[in-house]
Amino acid sequence: VNKNTHWSECSRQRRDFLRLGAVSGLGLALGKVNLRTSVAADNPETSLGPPSVPPIDPVRIGFVGVGSMGNDHLNSLLRIEGVEIRAVCDIVEARVARVQEMIVKAGQPKPKGYSGGERDFERLCRQEDIDLVFTATPWEWHAPVCLAAMANGKHAAAEVPLAATLEECWQLVETAEKTGRHCVMMENCCYDRTELMILNMVRKGLLGELLHAECGYLHDTRALLLSGASRGAWRLAHAVKRNGDLYPTHGLGPVAQCMNINRGNQFVRLASMGSQSRGLTLFAEKRFGPDSPQTRQPYALSDVVTTLIQTAAGQTITVNYNTSSPRPYSREILVQGTQGIVRKYPEEKIYIEGRTKGDDWEPLAAYRAEYEHPLWKAVAERAKGAGHGGTDFIENLRLIQCLRTGSATDWDVYDAAAWSAVLGLSEKSIAGGSAVVDFPDFTHGRWKDRLPLRIVPA
Amino acid sequence: VNKNTHWSECSRQRRDFLRLGAVSGLGLALGKVNLRTSVAADNPETSLGPPSVPPIDPVRIGFVGVGSMGNDHLNSLLRIEGVEIRAVCDIVEARVARVQEMIVKAGQPKPKGYSGGERDFERLCRQEDIDLVFTATPWEWHAPVCLAAMANGKHAAAEVPLAATLEECWQLVETAEKTGRHCVMMENCCYDRTELMILNMVRKGLLGELLHAECGYLHDTRALLLSGASRGAWRLAHAVKRNGDLYPTHGLGPVAQCMNINRGNQFVRLASMGSQSRGLTLFAEKRFGPDSPQTRQPYALSDVVTTLIQTAAGQTITVNYNTSSPRPYSREILVQGTQGIVRKYPEEKIYIEGRTKGDDWEPLAAYRAEYEHPLWKAVAERAKGAGHGGTDFIENLRLIQCLRTGSATDWDVYDAAAWSAVLGLSEKSIAGGSAVVDFPDFTHGRWKDRLPLRIVPA
């Protein structure tokens, strides 16, 4: 199938679909939803990405940032066929050496090493035998690395969040459009077993028309931030300077997929509110004493940041960010529609009108046989043992599959920009006393014609 | 204790306390919290209410609105000593007759009956042998009845919400101040066993300094609203006309008490967001057909309304309102502090740093022996069988106790106004595209000097 032909065809379908929705009136609003769902389920393509990219095989990768998450990704990538690691870059020379050794042990030629300072990734991006630059650096380096990669004709993939500021979101979108390169944010939580199953339930219409969702990143990271280790220090620097939701994508990614954001729907506006900032100071005081620099250092970041997002379809999303207080881990993940509601935390539960017996939640596990996502079924066995419950393997597998077959990726630069935009927008809202702030339309109106994501079985 | 002397003394304590807090700096912020907590625990008075009211014994009541909740309250009141029901008013004459009979059966003289139209409560308010006018009418009549009661020198108590609009909130506050009468909103959820226990935990400092709370009213009321019965019809009329959080107090009341709202703390501002309105239409379509008036009627009310509130102390509160969709009942109720977090729904769980073993929630029940609220312990046996798990009995018991002893009530008109103000403010915020809206200061600055609530053992 020629990509451009396919794009036009999809556009036409979408226009017909919108026209049908427009004349259908209130009574047919249900029909509209069902149609949307069925289009999603039948669409042979996952999404309409950047201009057609020919298949790449093998996928030759230059990897930037091989700390904890970088190692995790490399371990996954080395288990996927059609992958060659051609270059490794890190500011710590010893890490580069260790990874080079690891790659040689895995049976590949020794990749080229770069550790000549914090901008040495630019040399890596110029290396000719690389198709994809993959980065797992601190947040503030994701965008610079991706921009350098695309400027040198490489595809780019980065850990979350793809961009730390709104300006970076725009730069990435514009550069991806100009160069025709993929720019993909690696949101592993979109491939979590439960999140995939919820997406499958939504696609099959079990919840009806979606109304509301809740999600977030609720993780006591005080010990990490104040560990003194480098992987805490750069995060701590963000907490010193910024007040907003600095890590929205783990929760928002899966919810955005359920709601077809950038694919017939869009984030329209948000309002954020932040609590006092206490947790880091109290933790530092206990660990380092009242006069330690960590205790005397003021922290801008609220202990609890809550964001409300409105979508073009009218839905609401509550996004929670809660990283400086003692509490159990959660990403919330609650999706509510006209026919039922499903939640992941604190326990996986569901309520479906006409199916759930009684008035209380029932265990989500009872729906697994019927709604397990085909991708999970296909790759769960292979993903075992990989980071974050196997999701790190699946996200890499899907990326490589898409590149090798020349398909659109499961998310693209518009998704990465929309999800990452919450950092800058929530910061702006809080600075303005919870003023409502509009999302930019990174797609320039094309969100109306793009088709919903379907994650194909592997 | 003379009330005025006590007021001054408390004011002085509060000023000292604030001064101490102001010079203490960041390191002593903890000390500030502990002080606040211990003041609350030791304070012999529950709160500083309106000007001193002499003891009233017996409490002679005129009751307005004897539908379902009115009956519930009367059943509780008849079990409390020192209560005499002197008058009953309802637009339905048969209800008045039934209640008169019930009261005679309970051994009291037949109360006077009023059923001469929807403003006949005004005659009841002029009846001389009445101390307290208690109303359980539809929402829009709470304020008119309370205003008429106070204008005639009676104390007033009303079901939730006390006021349906901001203008009514102000009228009630000003009238209570001018007349020196009590004006109390009967928020039974403040006396729920779990909410009381959480309040007790907060007072004892178990959660540390409070940072955030979540609460709400999440109750599938579609069948009630579309039942055709009168108790659904007037609620439905609100859903037709208004879009906002129309029923915030069940969740917000207990949270406000934990956070000492109007007693050293205050609601400062809010932002609200509403989803599509689908649930009532879909339900009506299924029950009455696509061409029924209920299906063709547009509904202003969003299926899901979410509100963020910021307090003067910096805390955030998420308030959920979710009444038109299939889902299990919840009031959320989550309270988070610097030392831990407790939640009521979907299951009662808690996590306390240094006490909870492991990283996961533990059952709240494990804390019951230590933190059960003394009021609950004292009256649970007597409350058995009363409406809403006994809370309807306890709220009435506390009201009557306070009136009979001349004490300040557990809440007063400022609390009722602040909690009820969310209706009008959330409506305004949603109408403005989730614009942030400031709370009025109903106390005219006196919230700074009022002492935290302590609910005394019964």
Side-chain angles (χ1 to χ4, degrees), chain B residues 104-378:
Chain B
V104 170
K105 270 189 191 160
Q108 296 198 11
K110 182 178 171 182
K112 222 170 153 179
Y114 298 86
S115 55
E118 64 180 24
R119 297 204 75 90
D120 210 23
F121 65 83
E122 291 172 347
R123 281 204 304 140
L124 177 146
C125 290
R126 288 195 294 270
Q127 186 177 316
E128 288 201 353
D129 61 344
I130 288 178
D131 306 299
L132 169 70
V133 175
F134 196 131
T135 179
T137 49
W139 301 338
E140 62 272 23
W141 288 103
H142 294 172
V145 172
C146 290
L147 290 169
M150 290 187 283
N152 285 282
K154 272 74 171 180
H155 300 293
E159 253 301 326
V160 300
L162 181 66
T165 67
L166 267 184
E167 178 55 28
E168 285 180 352
C169 290
W170 274 119
Q171 287 172 354
L172 290 161
V173 165
E174 285 162 6
T175 304
E177 287 178 342
K178 202 171 62 186
T179 61
R181 300 293 87 185
H182 291 295
C183 183
V184 175
M185 182 167 69
M186 302 303 289
E187 183 38 86
N188 60 346
C189 294
C190 289
Y191 297 109
D192 188 284
R193 184 181 190 181
T194 304
E195 279 85 334
L196 277 176
M197 185 161 91
I198 292 173
L199 177 61
N200 200 30
M201 289 175 153
V202 170
R203 289 288 179 263
K204 290 188 170 171
L206 182 69
L207 298 172
E209 181 183 1
L210 296 194
L211 298 165
H212 176 69
E214 297 174 17
C215 60
Y217 185 68
L218 305 94
H219 186 190
D220 178 2
T221 59
R222 293 172 300 164
L224 169 64
L225 265 63
L226 290 162
S227 62
S230 67
R231 60 193 286 258
W234 59 262
R235 286 182 191 238
L236 191 68
H238 285 275
V240 167
K241 285 178 298 192
R242 305 183 68 174
N243 192 13
D245 185 334
L246 305 183
Y247 208 61
T249 69
H250 277 346
L252 198 53
V255 162
Q257 292 190 314
C258 288
M259 289 188 174
N260 295 329
I261 299 303
N262 290 326
R263 296 166 160 82
N265 196 6
Q266 209 189 21
F267 295 143
V268 173
R269 65 179 84 92
L270 65 69
S272 298
M273 198 171 274
S275 75
Q276 314 97 295
S277 177
R278 294 281 187 274
L280 293 171
T281 304
L282 291 170
F283 191 88
E285 190 177 18
K286 210 165 157 187
R287 180 159 294 190
F288 306 112
D291 293 324
S292 66
Q294 296 95 325
T295 307
R296 301 172 76 96
Q297 167 69 59
Y299 297 98
L301 185 63
S302 290
D303 288 1
V304 181
V305 172
T306 312
T307 299
L308 302 181
I309 297 178
Q310 185 115 47
T311 74
Q315 296 122 342
T316 50
I317 308 169
T318 306
V319 192
N320 302 287
Y321 181 61
N322 194 316
T323 55
S324 307
S325 310
R327 60 159 300 140
Y329 179 87
S330 170
R331 296 195 299 275
E332 302 292 10
I333 305 297
L334 176 148
V335 181
Q336 180 169 20
T338 51
Q339 294 171 26
I341 181 167
V342 57
R343 71 190 302 165
K344 182 171 176 178
Y345 297 90
E347 275 156 19
E348 302 192 343
K349 304 209 183 232
I350 190 166
Y351 178 90
I352 301 295
E353 182 160 46
R355 177 163 170 164
T356 301
K357 290 183 179 40
D359 295 329
D360 209 353
W361 301 96
E362 60 177 324
L364 184 60
Y367 290 66
R368 201 174 286 289
E370 195 174 344
Y371 288 100
E372 185 89 273
H373 194 287
L375 176 63
W376 184 271
K377 275 192 228 171

Side-chain angles (χ1 to χ4, degrees), chain A residues 189-208:
Chain A
C189 295
C190 289
Y191 297 109
D192 188 283
R193 184 181 190 182
T194 304
E195 280 85 333
L196 277 176
M197 185 162 89
I198 292 173
L199 177 61
N200 200 29
M201 289 175 154
V202 169
R203 289 287 179 265
K204 290 188 170 172
L206 182 68
L207 298 172

